């Protein structure tokens, strides 16, 4: 068995529900034949981290080290890992493992994020009972299938921009590819925040006519600069009338009140598709006739699997798609969490380890 470089991994963990993490260390699980150990350089912060840290979601098993978009340097690799050499730069997204078995229906369709044995990057247990921990730390160990090469166009000078592409970026891009967004489609993006500002860029790069919806009129020029064809101010009734029965797709990237979804239906072209990329609070209620007489589909999309994550990075590199970020040293993680929670970060917070960054 290969011995890792980190006998103990030091990180910042939530010990109980709240909005605070504190120094905490753990002994990592042994490096398997197919695993890599990565010394962390950058780790993103997002709403999913906050939901887990605050126990907004069920099943949080404290202590947890959050962070599921990671970039770092491979320092150890298992005996059967041939895709990476020690010293290579690699990224990790929201998943650390899937079974990859020939008989697995999900893995065989490149839908490994839906695999029944999937282990997410933090707060999930492996088959041996060990718990996964994420990127607010000095290092991480994952299955090499879930370590990704960073394209040169990003790695050379833009490495700190990579983490958000492996969470918000892949969630947006994977959903667009799976649902079939194509040139000249009219695509709406609800919520111009951490995911939405990337969704605008991906939709534009796919050739769509992009309609950016926001309650903040100050974001109009910003959205147009990112590639939106139209800006819809959601408090302006004339703006909303202009998209009546117009959209082929509507991607909902922010959490909104469930009652809003009935309004979204009126904006869809016949046969259009509404895609949920953020989980609404509470339950939604619709009359069946709303779908029967419009042909509209309401669906959702989880993060992309291994194949789609690499495609996201490559597509972003080819089309110069980059998130807008604010940087924080790892020891200032609590400051970053507070700003993300208050919605004051534009648009993604990225932590960096000063010792490992160079």
């Amino acid at each position: 068995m290969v011995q890792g470089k980190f006998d103990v991994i030091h990180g910042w963990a939530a010990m109980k529900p709240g909005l605070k993490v504190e120094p905490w260390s753990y002994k990592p699980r042994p490096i398997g034949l197919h695993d890599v150990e990565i010394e962390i350089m950058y780790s993103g912060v997002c709403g999913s981290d906050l939901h887990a840290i605050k126990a907004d979601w069920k099943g949080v098993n404290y202590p947890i080290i959050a962070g599921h978009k990671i970039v770092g340097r491979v320092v150890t690799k298992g005996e059967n890992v041939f895709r990476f050499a020690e010293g290579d730069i690699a990224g990790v997204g929201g998943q650390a493992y899937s079974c990859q078995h020939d008989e697995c229906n999900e893995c065989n369709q490149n839908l490994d994020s839906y695999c029944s044995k999937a282990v997410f990057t933090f707060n999930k247990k492996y088959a041996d009972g060990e718990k996964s921990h994420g990127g607010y730390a000095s290092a991480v160990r994952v299955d090499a299938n879930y370590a990704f090469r960073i394209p040169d166009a990003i790695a050379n000078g833009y490495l700190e921009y990579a983490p958000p592409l492996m969470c918000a970026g892949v969630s947006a891009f994977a959903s667009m590819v799976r649902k079939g967004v194509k040139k000249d489609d009219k695509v709406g993006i609800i919520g111009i925040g951490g995911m939405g500002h990337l969704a605008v860029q991906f939709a534009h790069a796919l050739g769509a006519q992009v309609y950016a919806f926001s309650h903040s009129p100050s974001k109009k020029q910003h959205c147009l600069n990112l590639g939106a064809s139209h800006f819809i101010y959601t408090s302006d009734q004339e703006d909303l009338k202009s998209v009546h029965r117009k959209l082929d797709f509507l991607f909902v990237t922010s959490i909104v009140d469930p009652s809003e979804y009935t309004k979204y239906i009126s904006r869809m072209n016949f046969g259009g598709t509404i895609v949920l990329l953020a989980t609404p609070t509470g339950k939604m209620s619709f009359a069946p006739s709303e779908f029967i007489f419009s042909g509209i589909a309401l669906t959702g999309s989880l993060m992309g699997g291994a194949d789609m994550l690499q495609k996201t990075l490559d597509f972003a590199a080819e089309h110069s798609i980059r998130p807008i970020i604010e940087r924080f040293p790892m020891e200032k993680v609590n400051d970053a969490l507070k700003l993300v929670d208050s919605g004051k970060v534009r648009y993604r917070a990225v932590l960096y380890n000063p010792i490992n960054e160079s």
Side-chain angles (χ1 to χ4, degrees):
M1 182 179 294
V2 174
Q3 182 66 35
K5 300 293 192 297
F6 290 83
D7 294 330
V8 175
I9 292 178
H10 303 288
W12 292 80
M15 310 303 289
K16 60 183 180 180
L19 194 60
K20 179 184 178 183
V21 294
E22 57 189 76
W24 182 74
S25 301
Y26 70 98
K27 183 175 178 60
R29 63 195 299 267
I31 294 175
L33 294 174
H34 304 280
D35 293 342
V36 289
E37 180 179 54
I38 297 173
E39 183 180 50
I40 294 172
M41 302 165 69
Y42 302 102
S43 183
V45 178
C46 81
S48 297
D49 298 346
L50 293 174
H51 288 308
I53 290 169
K54 297 192 294 183
D56 292 338
W57 292 341
K58 295 180 180 179
V60 180
N61 181 20
Y62 296 97
I64 60 165
I65 294 179
H68 58 272
K69 37 196 171 293
I70 301 163
V71 171
R73 190 176 289 106
V74 175
V75 293
T76 313
K77 65 188 187 76
E79 295 175 7
N80 289 349
V81 175
F82 305 105
R83 294 174 52 239
F84 292 99
E86 292 184 6
D88 285 350
I89 299 299
V92 176
Q95 193 166 349
Y97 173 82
S98 71
C99 74
Q100 295 292 311
H101 291 164
D102 291 341
E103 62 273 18
C104 177
N105 184 56
E106 290 75 24
C107 289
N108 280 335
Q109 297 183 73
N110 288 325
L111 295 173
D112 38 302
S113 54
Y114 296 92
C115 173
S116 62
K117 295 181 174 61
V119 176
F120 297 141
T121 308
F122 71 89
N123 191 46
K124 293 295 181 181
K125 286 190 176 182
Y126 290 89
D128 60 9
E130 291 285 341
K131 187 169 68 172
S132 60
H133 289 290
Y136 300 178
S138 55
V140 68
R141 294 179 180 180
V142 301
D143 185 301
N145 286 304
Y146 292 94
F148 302 93
R149 290 197 172 277
I150 308 298
D152 290 343
I154 298 173
N156 297 331
Y158 300 98
L159 193 55
E160 61 195 5
Y161 295 89
L165 293 172
M166 295 183 293
C167 175
V170 68
S171 295
F173 183 63
S175 66
M176 293 177 186
V177 172
R178 287 171 179 164
K179 306 307 177 186
V181 171
K182 61 186 184 300
K183 182 176 172 59
D184 293 328
D185 280 342
K186 295 179 175 64
V187 174
I189 309 295
I190 298 283
I192 310 303
M195 187 186 301
H197 88 288
L198 284 168
V200 168
Q201 295 180 70
F202 278 112
H204 172 70
L206 286 167
Q209 298 180 42
V210 184
Y211 293 73
F213 290 75
S214 178
H215 64 269
S216 301
S218 61
K219 292 183 179 180
K220 178 177 181 178
Q221 190 57 51
H222 202 189
C223 290
L224 298 176
N225 292 343
L226 290 172
S229 313
H230 308 272
F231 180 83
I232 307 300
Y233 176 36
T234 54
S235 294
D236 187 319
Q237 294 304 309
E238 292 303 314
D239 273 9
L240 294 175
K241 287 179 183 178
S242 73
V243 290
H244 182 72
R245 297 296 185 204
K246 180 164 284 188
L247 302 177
D248 299 303
F249 297 92
L250 181 64
F251 294 89
V252 185
T253 70
S254 60
I255 296 174
V256 298
D257 188 278
S259 63
E260 290 293 310
Y261 283 85
T262 57
K263 301 175 185 177
Y264 296 162
I265 291 176
S266 68
R267 298 167 192 164
M268 305 306 299
N269 193 4
F270 294 98
T273 302
I274 300 172
V275 185
L276 279 66
L277 299 178
T279 305
T281 56
K283 296 182 179 181
M284 294 182 286
S285 178
F286 302 96
S289 59
E290 294 182 83
F291 298 98
I292 293 171
F293 291 105
S294 67
I296 291 169
L298 176 65
T299 183
S301 181
L302 193 59
M303 61 187 179
D307 178 66
M308 188 56 70
L309 201 153
Q310 189 64 61
K311 288 180 178 177
T312 300
L313 290 170
D314 294 341
F315 188 88
E318 179 183 354
H319 295 275
S320 299
I321 295 172
R322 298 191 190 101
I324 296 168
I325 67 170
E326 293 186 33
R327 288 166 41 108
F328 299 82
M330 188 68 73
E331 64 269 21
K332 297 293 185 181
V333 57
N334 282 304
D335 292 344
L337 289 171
K338 290 177 183 177
L339 288 171
V340 172
D341 188 54
S342 65
K344 294 181 179 178
V345 167
R346 184 163 293 189
Y347 284 105
R348 284 279 161 169
V350 174
L351 306 173
Y352 63 93
N353 272 316
I355 295 175
N356 302 341
E357 186 178 17
S358 61

